[in-house]
């Protein structure tokens, strides 16, 4: 089962674009710090209730039109502000 997106996993990945739809994941998962940091082409991410933690600056410095859609409350939300 998918359990997490590691710290810095897609950092500075200019070819990663959206929408990134994570609603089909069936087990709880975490997105750790800086996972998608500076992904300039990533514009939309859809997250379902299975997400438990979004770490520091996970989506910071992405596209100026970045849109995050949360389909349920998170347990922990850190410095996510874009």
């Amino acid at each position: 089962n998918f359990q997490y997106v590691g710290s810095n996993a897609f950092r500075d990945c200019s070819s990663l674009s959206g929408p990134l739809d994570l609603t089909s994941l069936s087990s709880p998962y975490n997105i750790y710090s800086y996972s998608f940091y500076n992904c300039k082409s990533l514009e939309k991410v859809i997250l379902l209730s299975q997400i438990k933690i979004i770490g520091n600056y996970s989506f910071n410095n992405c596209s100026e039109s970045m849109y995050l859609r949360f389909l349920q409350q998170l347990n922990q939300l850190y410095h996510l502000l874009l």
Side-chain angles (χ1 to χ4, degrees):
N1 289 339
F2 177 81
Q3 296 179 357
Y4 62 90
V5 177
S7 296
N8 299 298
F10 295 98
R11 186 176 183 153
D12 299 318
C13 184
S14 60
S15 62
L16 183 64
S17 61
L20 179 61
D21 187 345
L22 300 176
T23 59
S24 64
L25 299 174
S26 60
S27 60
Y29 63 97
N30 302 319
I31 296 176
Y32 291 120
S33 299
Y34 295 93
S35 294
F36 297 95
Y37 181 85
N38 206 32
C39 292
K40 298 290 188 183
S41 298
L42 186 60
E43 295 183 348
K44 182 177 182 180
V45 179
I46 304 169
L47 306 165
L48 193 57
S49 61
Q50 302 300 343
I51 187 149
K52 300 300 178 188
I53 297 172
I54 295 182
N56 294 326
Y57 307 104
S58 295
F59 296 98
N60 192 276
N61 210 31
C62 290
S63 170
E64 290 181 14
S65 59
M66 179 62 160
Y67 174 78
L68 295 176
R69 182 175 179 198
F70 299 99
L71 300 182
Q72 192 169 354
Q73 182 178 351
L74 295 173
N75 288 348
Q76 296 179 38
L77 178 63
Y78 295 105
H79 302 96
L80 177 71
L81 298 178
L82 309 172

